[in-house]
Amino acid sequence: MAGGRSAIVLALAALLVGGAVLSGCTAPAAAAAPEPEAAAPAAPAAGRRDEAQRFREANRLTWGADSSAIALLRTLGYQRYVDRQLHPSSARLPPAVQAQIDALTISRRPMIAIAREMAEQRRQAVALTDDDAKKAALKQWQQDMTRLGREAQTREILRALYSPNQVQEQMTWFWMNHFNVFLYKGNIRATIGDYADVVRAHALGRFRDLLGAVAHHPAMLVYLDNVQNAAGHVNENYAREIMELHTMGVGSGYTQQDVQQLARIMTGVGVSFQPSDPRLPPRLGAYFVRDGAFEFNPRRHDFGPKVFLGEAIHGHGLAEFDEALDRLARAPATAHFISRQLAVYWLSDNPSPALVERMAQTYLGSDGDIAATLHTLFTAPEFMQAAGAKFKDPMRYVISSVRLAYDGRTILNAQPIINWLARMGEPLYGHQTPDGYPATEADWASPGQMETRFEVARAIGSGSAGLFRSDGPQPVERPAFPQMANALYYDAFGRTLGPATRKALEQAASPQEWNTLLLSSPEFMRR
């Protein structure tokens, strides 16, 4: 069995580098997929090219092409499809998907109530005097926290797979990575689901609004230690990352002095899950702000004068922070930094400086409108000319595989996907450092990574892979097999494949192997 596994991995590796002959696959089984040209419908040649082009467009704009995305592109055309994606209405998910999301604790209860309950559960556990009881109570607290984090992962995967607002979902992942937090620090597992919802709400809006929403959320304030930032005990961590990773970028002209000044501006910005407000002297009471779990405590704020990015900021409490965020969001350096990151994510590891400049000008001319900046990218000649060139990161590879394999059929269990992402080194909300996951081919195309991808391809291509086994004490597993040799393949995807992949598919010995080879093909590794 181990030898067979090695053989198929070697064969897939040969396919990936362009090899056409797969040892051990010399005779197609009776149930293997028919030869693409022979099985294709008798459509006009121009129509076939259109379907292949729509497949490429869907592959660029969604988490992975499926029948519904191509049908909508056929109905609306590319420009109207882009406009609808950039200005989406509320996502109407399939009822079975919505029912799964509605059943989650993080969907039924507000974040602040969950976070307070978990804080109280931990406080009671720590207060226990019996060592065994304390150990058991803390273990239960950890399990409950982990369940909340897993619910957030499940909800994001379901939305990525089934939401009609595919650009919004990808931008939610992009911004969650840009404004990365680590799931297992502090109480973030209790707040991560709400954090994702806040990011999603601003994912296609103004960057300034998104920056402010992130800066007011407990997940970020806890992750980057601003809850510890106080007058006389300044913590520069969040201030540094705002300038280095979230807005202007390294080498854009800001100084260490600016970092220190921003950290002083951010003193007093923190989090409180306490139900009551702190007692403050009358001279400070007017500056106090509480909005959900966000708290600005003027007792902890440095009210002294500051100079930030070359201009004075006078001491007026939380408004100093808003003033600083305004300057950062509207800085030309931020426009270029954000535009290049968007171009790298959506288009190429090395986007042309001219295109990035056009995107930055759109950003500056629209006051940081993310949708407008993306419109410049999506309608640029460079965008479609690069179709099939961008290497998929693990999240995109796994989600696109399941979307293609089951083409809209609702999975019952996202845990296999969560596990695959962890094996491939890109678990949701699992990056420990603030820089987020990388986005270039060199980071994801190692031999070890490819071997894992082939194993994931075989798991998805060979059967249900646990995706249709419900969770809970009495799990139910529905029969499911990916039928990828379908109209979507023959009308569209198959027409984008090269000769080597076509020949390899012809030699597949079974439907399972045919599916595995398709998901392992060089063409499917890119979008």
Side-chain angles (χ1 to χ4, degrees):
M1 193 66 182
R5 181 174 303 170
S6 298
I8 196 168
V9 167
L10 289 172
L12 293 167
L15 174 60
L16 188 65
V17 298
V21 179
L22 296 174
S23 61
C25 299
T26 55
E35 201 281 325
E37 291 294 344
R48 292 173 180 172
R49 286 196 299 272
D50 288 346
E51 288 300 289
Q53 177 63 14
R54 289 188 190 101
F55 185 88
R56 294 188 181 96
E57 292 168 354
N59 236 11
R60 304 308 312 274
L61 294 172
T62 71
W63 273 115
D66 66 0
S67 296
S68 64
I70 291 176
L72 198 55
L73 274 160
R74 191 183 302 124
T75 299
L76 297 176
Y78 183 77
Q79 292 290 347
R80 289 177 61 200
Y81 183 84
V82 166
D83 290 341
R84 181 175 291 190
Q85 287 292 315
L86 291 177
H87 304 283
S89 55
S90 297
R92 295 185 63 182
L93 296 167
V97 177
Q98 191 62 56
Q100 289 187 51
I101 290 176
D102 291 344
L104 300 173
T105 299
I106 60 171
S107 299
R108 291 185 284 107
R109 302 186 61 205
M111 175 269 289
I112 193 165
I114 294 173
R116 283 175 177 166
E117 180 178 289
M118 296 310 301
E120 176 61 18
Q121 183 178 342
R122 188 177 190 284
R123 188 193 67 77
Q124 292 182 11
V126 171
L128 293 172
T129 55
D130 181 274
D131 288 345
D132 290 339
K134 178 186 289 187
K135 184 177 179 181
L138 287 172
K139 181 180 179 181
Q140 184 62 54
W141 177 81
Q142 285 286 0
Q143 290 174 343
D144 291 343
M145 289 286 279
T146 298
R147 177 179 55 80
L148 293 170
R150 189 170 296 129
E151 284 191 1
Q153 293 171 322
T154 296
R155 193 166 65 178
E156 177 148 336
I157 287 168
L158 290 173
R159 286 170 169 163
L161 287 171
Y162 303 109
S163 173
N165 299 339
Q166 285 283 292
V167 170
Q168 182 185 36
E169 288 305 316
Q170 289 169 91
M171 287 307 299
T172 300
W173 188 95
F174 173 87
W175 291 124
M176 288 291 285
N177 196 50
H178 182 87
F179 297 107
N180 181 62
V181 299
F182 178 52
L183 185 63
Y184 293 99
K185 180 171 180 177
N187 67 345
I188 290 178
R189 281 169 288 178
T191 62
I192 190 72
D194 185 77
Y195 184 56
D197 278 347
V198 167
V199 169
R200 178 175 287 99
H202 296 283
L204 292 169
R206 289 175 65 244
F207 181 75
R208 170 64 181 86
D209 296 336
L210 173 63
L211 181 67
V214 166
H216 285 70
H217 199 278
M220 180 58 75
L221 294 172
V222 168
Y223 174 61
L224 288 179
D225 305 319
N226 213 72
V227 291
Q228 302 168 18
N229 188 17
H233 302 280
V234 174
N235 186 311
E236 297 179 3
N237 199 14
Y238 188 19
R240 185 178 308 283
E241 305 305 357
I242 283 182
M243 303 192 74
E244 181 175 319
L245 298 174
H246 298 170
T247 58
M248 299 178 67
V250 176
S252 58
Y254 67 85
T255 66
Q256 173 61 21
Q257 179 75 7
D258 288 316
V259 173
Q260 293 170 346
Q261 294 292 293
L262 182 58
R264 289 181 59 216
I265 289 167
M266 295 168 63
T267 50
V269 173
V271 175
S272 175
F273 293 110
Q274 298 299 317
S276 58
D277 296 342
R279 288 187 175 183
L280 295 169
R283 66 180 178 82
L284 295 178
Y287 291 103
F288 178 77
V289 176
R290 171 73 70 83
D291 183 9
F294 174 84
E295 180 183 271
F296 175 73
N297 188 333
R299 193 193 294 275
R300 297 164 54 84
H301 182 64
D302 178 350
F303 278 89
K306 297 105 178 172
V307 176
F308 179 60
L309 296 178
E311 295 182 47
I313 286 186
H314 301 290
H316 48 285
L318 182 61
E320 298 173 35
F321 191 29
D322 293 331
E323 192 174 336
L325 294 181
D326 287 343
R327 292 183 193 177
L328 288 167
R330 290 172 177 155
T334 298
H336 285 84
F337 184 64
I338 296 298
S339 294
R340 191 178 190 284
Q341 286 203 321
L342 288 170
V344 168
Y345 177 74
W346 284 98
L347 174 64
S348 165
D349 293 356
N350 296 293
S352 77
L355 175 59
V356 173
E357 177 62 26
R358 296 203 303 276
M359 293 171 65
Q361 291 306 314
T362 299
Y363 177 102
L364 292 169
S366 63
D367 195 21
D369 188 315
I370 298 164
T373 306
L374 284 175
H375 188 271
T376 297
L377 173 63
F378 292 164
T379 57
E382 297 95 322
F383 189 69
M384 287 315 302
Q385 288 170 1
K390 179 69 178 176
F391 194 77
K392 296 177 179 177
D393 65 282
M395 176 70 176
R396 185 171 300 280
Y397 176 73
V398 170
I399 296 298
S400 65
S401 296
V402 176
R403 279 173 61 84
L404 183 71
Y406 287 101
D407 202 17
R409 184 173 177 183
T410 304
I411 65 169
L412 301 180
N413 192 343
Q415 190 60 48
I417 296 176
I418 294 170
N419 294 342
W420 291 329
L421 291 172
R423 284 190 61 198
M424 297 169 76
E426 199 178 36
L428 274 172
Y429 322 131
H431 195 66
Q432 295 192 35
T433 51
D435 53 348
Y437 292 112
T440 62
E441 180 171 352
D443 298 298
W444 299 115
S446 69
Q449 172 77 201
M450 298 314 300
E451 183 171 346
T452 304
R453 287 194 186 204
F454 299 153
E455 292 173 0
V456 171
R458 187 164 62 173
I460 296 173
S462 299
S464 64
L467 295 168
F468 293 86
R469 179 183 172 86
S470 64
D471 210 355
Q474 295 182 320
V476 175
E477 183 156 7
R478 296 178 185 169
F481 184 80
Q483 302 289 345
M484 285 187 275
N486 56 19
L488 177 62
Y489 173 79
Y490 294 118
D491 292 347
F493 187 21
R495 301 184 186 283
T496 70
L497 300 178
T501 298
R502 285 173 172 260
K503 188 167 185 177
L505 291 170
E506 291 170 13
Q507 297 178 350
S510 67
Q512 291 87 344
E513 192 170 295
W514 192 92
N515 291 340
T516 302
L517 290 170
L518 186 66
L519 296 179
S520 305
S521 66
E523 293 87 347
F524 193 73
M525 294 293 166
R526 300 174 184 277
R527 63 185 175 94

